[in-house]
Amino acid sequence: MVEKVPHWADIAAEEIINIKGKKNVVATGITPSGPIHLGNLREILTGDALYRALKEKGAEVDFIYIADTFDPLRKVYPFLPESYSEHVGKPISEIPDPEGCHENYAEHFLEPFLGGIRVLGINPKVIKAHESYKNGLYTEIIDITLENNEKITEILNEIAGRNLEKDFVPLLPKCEKCGRLTTTKIVSYNIQKHQVEYQCKCGYNGVADYSKGEAKLPWRLDWPGRWKIFGITVEPFGKDHATAGGSYDTGKIITKEIFGYEPPYPFIYEWIYLKGKGAMSSSKGIAISINEILEILPPSWVRYLILRYKPDKHIDFDPVNGYILLAEDYERLERIYYRLEGTEEDWAEFARIYELSQVGEIPKEPGPQVPLRHIITLAQISLGNEENLKEMLIRSGYEKELKRFDEIIRRVRYVERWLEKFAPSQVKFKLQDTIPEIVRTFAPREKEFLKALAGKIEEKDWNGDELQNLIYNLAQSLGIEGKKAFKLIYLSFLNQDSGPRAGYFLVSLPKDFVIKRLEEAGTL
RNA sequence: GAGCCGUUAGCUCAACUGGCAGAGCACCUGACUCUUAAUCAGGGGGUUGCAGGUUCGACUCCUGCACGGCUCACCA
């Protein structure tokens, strides 16, 4: 019996228990101000891995996701209509959905994200910030903030190198008239009544009651505030917050000295880059949304994609060429876990990452053992028809995987989306409905070969290997170079020079069709 | 300017608290009468970015430098 090599989440969990004890709250937070992408997913997946690792070590642990639905809209993002300039500065929970399908702007981006993480087996308790403010959860924190106004200003000036005026008040009242958080200036406040008097740039002067969600703390206070409110002990966050003078630096001082709460165990992760394009960013249009990724990869593969790397490594995700590599890595991982391949040492090394990649319970059996590479071929010749697909699987030697046909179909769908959106041209082909014109240019001897091949294929039921050999041998006997022979076949069926391994390819196609096409090519 | 993270084989990454530098892919050779994006067997590959230091021992710790990424705004 070999010991599993611990995953980084296991090592961190142990350290967390040493520092924080057995009772923990893991928190993550993402602002749903645009489509939530794969980069953002790293945060919540990191949290999920820590949550699971802690739980397995016997810790009592909660996992929460705080949606920053009360944040103001910062600017008119490229994906928004120009008319949204009037909403800049308003909380995203109070702006209309740009596509009109949800209750509000925040919901529009939050809902698909939550759907996506559920598919990935991530089930945090969801907390919407605007509701927390409305329900008065922040009231006490805001009281303390106002009481310690000057001290906080000092901390921000010192740690973050700010140049804030003495009368700076770290609270953003929402203008009753124009609805913006970013255009108000506080004139006075009354902590007993939880009220602040403000002047807004829109010309309105009013009073906001922060116990009713009529004001918001700026990020630098909001973050440490929520640590105390929700009892947060562990929080993964992006490297942007980890910098000296950044919000974790000020947050940990503020929470200790002002709120009387210990900062959570920080867990810093790197960005995910899109190969060749830079850091993922919805607002720059270089992002793959979570739902796009779930269209091309099974959920456990997505988990693996992120969890396999240590959080301090940046990930270069290459949906074009990296796709097949990822598939092959995962397939190998799976074979090792179920001991279809590799040594006990291999098993020990990979077992934990396999477990953490699973969406729910660890399956008793591996998934269908049909390589994605082969599915890429099948998807393109079966043209989405399930009966065709079934026959092709049998013909290409995967009959015993038919018991997992549903999962194979799902993989075909993933691959179809990938072919449509990302696949490099080398792997793409299209079975030609009619015989390509180029076949007319074949030499007589080449046509003879194709005709002879048709005759041979008719003789019996071949398997992929046999047919592969047949093609080669037949070509040799007719004095045609192997390479040329395969090219002739690809041109006849696909109208291109190369293609999937010919024997397996032809054997996957309906026999009648193959014979007819070869004969036709031979006589054209 | 200040600081954070990274730098290990051609590529992507491992190496738990210092203890023999490893995988996958790619590449090369061979095999399967056999071409591909297939299978099997074998192989080459490293001054761990550079320069010092601590140590019996450094990829690991310390100092400096270089390169890449990021951040220092009421911004996630």
Side-chain angles (χ1 to χ4, degrees), chain A residues 70-74 77 88-92 95 172 181-182 216:
Chain A
F70 202 38
D71 279 19
L73 182 69
R74 267 197 288 158
Y77 295 109
V88 170
K90 296 182 192 172
I92 55 175
I95 296 173
L172 310 168
L181 289 162
T182 52
K216 182 193 178 305

Side-chain angles (χ1 to χ4, degrees), chain A residues 15 134 224 249 278 300 377 420 515:
Chain A
E15 197 179 322
K134 281 207 172 71
D249 253 16
S300 58
T377 301
E420 205 176 289
I515 292 168

Side-chain angles (χ1 to χ4, degrees), chain A residues 451-523:
Chain A
K451 216 192 288 182
L453 182 61
K456 281 284 185 191
I457 288 174
E458 197 155 22
E459 283 172 16
K460 60 169 272 206
D461 282 329
W462 304 80
N463 69 33
D465 242 347
E466 290 169 347
L467 191 54
Q468 183 78 9
N469 290 337
L470 172 70
I471 294 167
Y472 185 81
N473 294 333
L474 190 62
Q476 295 272 305
S477 68
L478 295 174
I480 293 171
E481 209 186 317
K483 202 165 199 148
K484 181 76 184 175
F486 289 99
K487 193 170 161 185
L488 295 172
I489 290 169
Y490 295 132
L491 285 170
S492 305
F493 286 85
L494 307 175
N495 197 23
Q496 60 189 43
D497 281 354
S498 63
R501 207 174 173 211
Y504 292 90
F505 169 55
L506 293 186
V507 102
S508 300
L509 291 169
K511 195 168 167 181
D512 297 349
F513 173 80
V514 173
I515 292 168
K516 186 159 167 265
R517 173 61 55 90
L518 287 171
E519 278 175 350
E520 209 177 334
T523 50

Side-chain angles (χ1 to χ4, degrees), chain A residues 8 42 267-271 309-315:
Chain A
W8 51 257
R42 191 172 200 178
F267 202 83
I268 298 146
Y269 62 88
E270 259 281 353
W271 299 135
Y309 299 115
K310 286 194 295 198
D312 58 8
K313 286 273 186 187
H314 87 242
I315 297 176

Side-chain angles (χ1 to χ4, degrees), chain A residues 78-365:
Chain A
F79 52 83
L80 293 174
E82 208 27 66
S83 63
Y84 268 61
S85 59
E86 69 161 302
H87 296 306
V88 170
K90 296 182 192 172
I92 55 175
S93 55
E94 295 176 18
I95 296 173
D97 179 344
E99 287 173 36
C101 44
H102 292 82
E103 206 179 319
N104 58 55
Y105 183 105
E107 239 3 85
H108 178 76
F109 295 109
L110 189 57
E111 196 257 353
F113 169 68
L114 294 176
I117 63 173
R118 247 174 269 127
V119 170
L120 289 162
I122 306 170
N123 294 296
K125 185 176 162 203
V126 177
I127 295 165
K128 295 177 188 173
H130 74 282
E131 289 173 0
S132 301
Y133 275 96
K134 281 207 172 71
N135 295 336
L137 280 137
Y138 277 87
T139 309
E140 190 197 340
I141 287 292
I142 298 174
D143 287 343
I144 302 171
T145 299
L146 294 176
E147 277 162 16
N148 294 277
N149 190 1
E150 276 181 34
K151 210 167 157 195
I152 289 169
T153 306
E154 246 171 66
I155 292 170
L156 291 174
N157 279 338
E158 194 186 322
I159 312 281
R162 296 285 174 78
N163 225 339
L164 302 168
E165 300 293 330
K166 267 247 155 24
D167 64 347
F168 170 75
V169 183
L171 186 68
L172 310 168
K174 188 178 78 182
C175 175
E176 204 183 330
K177 184 89 177 288
C178 75
R180 290 188 183 85
L181 289 162
T182 52
T183 47
T184 52
K185 186 170 165 46
I186 291 175
V187 181
S188 70
Y189 51 82
N190 182 327
I191 296 171
Q192 270 69 43
K193 291 184 174 169
H194 311 308
Q195 285 178 344
V196 291
E197 199 185 328
Y198 62 86
Q199 293 178 343
C200 182
K201 281 183 187 153
C202 76
Y204 186 80
N205 295 340
V207 174
D209 183 338
Y210 58 76
S211 70
K212 293 180 180 154
E214 293 173 2
K216 182 193 178 305
L217 286 169
W219 170 244
R220 296 257 176 174
L221 276 303
D222 185 307
W223 200 25
R226 70 172 67 166
W227 294 340
K228 179 169 182 169
I229 294 167
F230 299 104
I232 294 163
T233 58
V234 181
E235 181 154 354
F237 50 90
K239 62 173 176 177
D240 49 339
H241 300 307
T243 187
S247 46
Y248 186 74
D249 253 16
T250 52
K252 69 184 177 194
I253 305 276
I254 289 169
T255 192
K256 272 197 248 185
E257 295 187 3
I258 312 292
F259 300 151
Y261 185 79
E262 280 300 306
Y265 179 89
F267 202 83
I268 298 146
Y269 62 88
E270 259 281 353
W271 299 135
I272 297 182
Y273 295 76
L274 205 50
K275 187 79 175 178
K277 295 203 176 151
M280 273 200 205
S281 154
S282 297
S283 57
K284 286 185 197 150
I286 42 175
I288 296 186
S289 77
I290 291 172
N291 295 298
E292 272 178 295
I293 203 81
L294 287 171
E295 282 180 353
I296 63 167
L297 288 171
S300 58
W301 298 25
V302 175
R303 293 182 64 98
Y304 174 64
L305 166 67
I306 293 177
L307 296 178
R308 66 190 299 198
Y309 299 115
K310 286 194 295 198
D312 58 8
K313 286 273 186 187
H314 87 242
I315 297 176
D316 253 320
F317 179 61
D318 178 359
V320 179
N321 298 300
Y323 185 75
I324 297 175
L325 289 176
L326 173 67
E328 291 183 340
D329 280 350
Y330 189 90
E331 286 164 351
R332 177 164 180 269
L333 172 71
E334 191 179 57
R335 289 194 302 273
I336 289 173
Y337 188 80
Y338 293 97
R339 296 190 163 85
L340 302 172
E341 181 185 321
T343 61
E344 283 301 293
E345 284 70 34
D346 290 332
W347 185 87
E349 188 181 339
F350 290 110
R352 268 309 272 165
I353 182 62
Y354 181 79
E355 289 171 2
L356 286 168
S357 298
Q358 300 316 301
V359 165
E361 297 276 298
I362 294 160
K364 296 262 182 297
E365 293 179 355

Side-chain angles (χ1 to χ4, degrees), chain A residues 8 26-28 42-52 63 236:
Chain A
W8 51 257
V26 179
T28 64
R42 191 172 200 178
E43 162 140 346
I44 196 144
L45 208 39
T46 301
D48 186 58
L50 292 173
Y51 165 69
R52 288 192 187 187
F63 183 28

